[in-house]
Amino acid sequence: MRIVFFSSNSNLNDETSVWSRQTPDCAALWKKSGLPLKHEIIIYTQAPGMFLLDMEGNRLVKQNPDIRYIFARGDSAQEMAEEIISLRPELAVAATFWTRPFDWLSIKDSMIAEHLRKNGIRTFCPSTQTATDCFDKWRTHGLLERYGFETPESVYIHHELFMNAGNRRELKSNVYRDSVLEQISNLSFPVIVKDTTGLSSFGTDRLETYDEVLKLLHSKKFTSDKITEEYVSGMQFGMEIYGTDGNYTIFDPFIISTNKYGITSPKQNVKAGPVRNEKYQISRLKSSVLEFLRKINYSGAAQLDLIFTGEKWFIIEINPRLSGMSWGTSFSCGKTLYELLAESASSPQTNLNPHMNYTLDIKMPLTDEKTLSKLSEDPHVLFVSRTENPKAVQLREKGFCQVIFGGFSSKKELEENFEGIKKYLPAEEEETCIKLLKEDF
């Protein structure tokens, strides 16, 4: 079968800014997958081709000799679709990644996929409607409510109306602003205030009082539409799904650490799992997610952000793309990410209990190469990456490292073997790992 793995970008790729290296690299993972020997594989993408390519700046530094690599000449969804159509694939698989400031690449990939479907090419990618609903967090909120999921009480704030509606000459007051502020005052505090189109937890604030919200909405930080939602106190989780045509593999969730504000930090967190303890009502959660995916006729990969309160599951966000969990999910299954994508796209089957090994997925501040090398020598360290932005001014923006440790059949084995790597971790991440390992998951 001729399979095209594709992804797009909307940003200029600055070769002097973000650099990323990983072990094993993508070329090695493609070889390990065995896919290039079973199928004709073509990678068609725009730089940096996250998840698919080994790039240094704008340079492709490693290739699998059995794969054809093509960088898009056109930039629009239609131009890219036409280039893919000319390759005559039997299947096109979206390997959508993310970028700042807008997490909207799933929409562009979905537009490409719709052109492909119109030309009779089978795709593994969500519809443009679904991608757009998931991009805009207020639309996501409505989508989840519509299908019966628990969601936090929320208030939508339209920036233009809130700031400028009262500036019309004939108006003496801004009724919209008054209404929004009254709705916010009736929420239970603390609250989370976030952009409707933001990426991960960037630009998210936890505020304890109404006066703090008021101060934010009258500050220079308020530059776009936002959601104010009640803070749901509980453990935070992430879960990935892959599937199409009503058939889905729904992976067990992973517990995700939070910072002192109760928010997951995108570049400094620990994920531990799989979570199987039925005190978390995993079976019921998966059944509900399966029903939801079938109702919206989802296709592709996705990641869910969830909170469990002890009684209820709340779905906070849906990311219709590959995620920071994707490497961890695949390694915990003992497979490559490419195998998960190809199997889910070409032979979809519903699987609510996939085999997963116990794993720690650790994101930590930039660490020196010597320490990463030592970590890589441990036989249970499955993946190490280093992402650096030398142009960044703020320390937290300079980059991060990711270490995936696991492959164990029991949580006890994971705990026991963690002793061998903890000395190489920063103190904060070591403490977070120990704390999560004490959880009964």
Side-chain angles (χ1 to χ4, degrees):
M1 183 187 300
R2 182 178 295 175
I3 306 175
V4 170
F5 287 81
F6 74 94
S7 56
S8 64
N9 198 354
S10 62
N11 288 13
L12 297 170
N13 189 48
D14 182 357
E15 62 181 50
T16 64
S17 57
V18 179
W19 290 69
S20 184
R21 293 183 180 88
Q22 66 181 53
T23 304
D25 54 44
C26 293
L29 290 171
W30 278 110
K31 182 178 181 180
K32 184 179 179 181
S33 75
L35 291 173
L37 300 180
K38 298 175 186 176
H39 305 283
E40 183 182 353
I41 303 296
I42 301 172
I43 295 176
Y44 174 89
T45 186
Q46 292 180 293
M50 194 187 300
F51 294 105
L52 297 176
L53 305 179
D54 298 300
M55 299 283 291
E56 290 185 1
N58 282 328
R59 205 163 51 89
L60 181 61
V61 293
K62 290 189 179 180
Q63 300 183 44
N64 182 303
D66 298 311
I67 291 176
R68 185 179 173 191
Y69 296 82
I70 301 174
F71 285 97
R73 294 187 301 274
D75 182 60
S76 71
Q78 184 168 346
E79 289 171 329
M80 293 183 68
E82 289 172 355
E83 290 178 34
I84 294 174
I85 291 167
S86 71
L87 301 173
R88 298 185 177 181
E90 296 166 72
L91 175 64
V93 178
T96 306
F97 56 92
W98 64 87
T99 189
R100 295 182 67 184
F102 299 118
D103 191 9
W104 58 13
L105 297 185
S106 58
I107 300 176
K108 187 173 181 181
D109 285 354
S110 295
M111 293 167 64
I112 293 169
E114 292 198 352
H115 287 295
L116 299 180
R117 286 192 288 270
K118 288 176 183 177
N119 283 271
I121 297 172
R122 189 155 53 105
T123 67
F124 187 71
C125 186
S127 69
T128 303
Q129 177 69 55
T130 297
T132 305
D133 284 341
C134 295
F135 164 63
D136 185 318
K137 293 178 177 61
W138 182 245
R139 290 175 64 160
T140 306
H141 182 89
L143 183 71
L144 291 168
E145 274 194 334
R146 195 156 62 246
Y147 287 103
F149 284 100
E150 295 286 346
T151 56
E153 288 294 322
S154 305
V155 178
Y156 168 67
I157 310 169
H158 187 288
H159 177 264
E160 180 69 19
L161 281 173
F162 188 94
M163 297 299 293
N164 299 322
N167 293 343
R168 306 292 176 87
R169 184 175 300 175
E170 65 271 27
L171 297 177
K172 63 179 180 180
S173 63
N174 187 335
V175 174
Y176 177 81
R177 181 191 298 159
D178 294 342
S179 171
V180 164
L181 293 177
E182 183 168 318
Q183 290 176 67
I184 292 173
S185 70
N186 289 327
L187 293 175
S188 297
F189 285 80
V191 296
I192 297 293
V193 182
K194 59 186 180 182
D195 292 339
T196 59
T197 56
L199 169 66
S200 193
S201 300
F202 294 112
T204 298
D205 294 282
R206 171 176 161 161
L207 303 177
E208 302 296 324
T209 66
Y210 172 75
D211 285 343
E212 288 183 19
V213 176
L214 201 60
K215 184 177 179 180
L216 173 69
L217 296 179
H218 288 90
S219 73
K220 292 181 179 179
K221 289 184 68 175
F222 182 37
T223 59
S224 61
D225 294 359
K226 289 187 178 289
I227 301 172
T228 299
E229 64 185 23
E230 292 182 352
Y231 176 74
V232 178
S233 179
M235 298 187 69
Q236 299 201 20
F237 298 79
M239 167 192 277
E240 287 211 326
I241 66 97
Y242 295 74
T244 189
D245 298 330
N247 294 288
Y248 304 94
T249 298
I250 301 178
F251 294 94
D252 295 323
F254 275 56
I255 300 175
I256 306 179
S257 66
T258 57
N259 60 24
K260 63 182 180 180
Y261 304 107
I263 300 170
T264 298
S265 173
K267 295 180 180 179
Q268 195 169 347
N269 67 72
V270 177
K271 303 177 184 72
V275 177
R276 294 186 175 130
N277 193 321
E278 269 306 318
K279 74 177 183 179
Y280 294 109
Q281 305 170 30
I282 302 298
S283 299
R284 192 174 74 178
L285 169 66
K286 288 187 175 184
S287 295
S288 298
V289 170
L290 176 63
E291 183 181 1
F292 171 71
L293 294 169
R294 285 174 171 168
K295 283 181 177 178
I296 66 172
N297 194 27
Y298 192 82
S299 178
Q303 183 257 336
L304 310 181
D305 289 332
L306 311 111
I307 295 177
F308 184 68
T309 64
E311 297 178 354
K312 300 176 182 178
W313 280 101
F314 288 76
I315 298 181
I316 305 301
E317 289 184 17
I318 306 170
N319 298 303
R321 51 163 172 77
L322 299 177
S323 76
M325 290 189 66
S326 297
W327 292 124
T329 297
S330 63
F331 283 112
S332 72
C333 294
K335 295 185 177 183
T336 66
L337 176 58
Y338 313 129
E339 288 173 278
L340 291 186
L341 288 169
E343 290 169 4
S344 302
S346 58
S347 304
Q349 295 181 358
T350 294
N351 185 359
L352 301 186
N353 296 290
H355 171 75
M356 299 179 77
N357 295 311
Y358 286 86
T359 305
L360 287 173
D361 187 343
I362 306 162
K363 281 188 178 178
M364 58 191 186
L366 281 175
T367 304
D368 62 89
E369 297 284 358
K370 184 178 180 180
T371 300
L372 292 179
S373 179
K374 286 289 185 183
L375 280 165
S376 298
E377 292 172 5
D378 188 290
H380 303 298
V381 171
L382 308 174
F383 179 85
V384 175
S385 71
R386 177 185 171 92
T387 301
E388 184 175 2
N389 182 359
K391 283 188 172 182
V393 177
Q394 294 185 342
L395 183 62
R396 65 177 182 171
E397 298 297 327
K398 286 188 178 294
F400 63 94
C401 294
Q402 182 176 10
V403 176
I404 297 174
F405 173 79
F408 301 103
S409 58
S410 70
K411 179 172 176 284
K412 183 180 179 181
E413 282 185 87
L414 177 65
E415 293 176 47
E416 291 172 348
N417 283 277
F418 176 68
E419 294 295 316
I421 69 159
K422 68 179 187 179
K423 62 185 176 183
Y424 299 114
L425 302 178
E428 185 174 343
E429 278 61 45
E430 178 188 344
E431 183 181 337
T432 301
C433 288
I434 292 171
K435 181 180 178 182
L436 287 187
L437 288 171
K438 288 180 180 178
E439 295 291 341
D440 187 13
F441 57 82

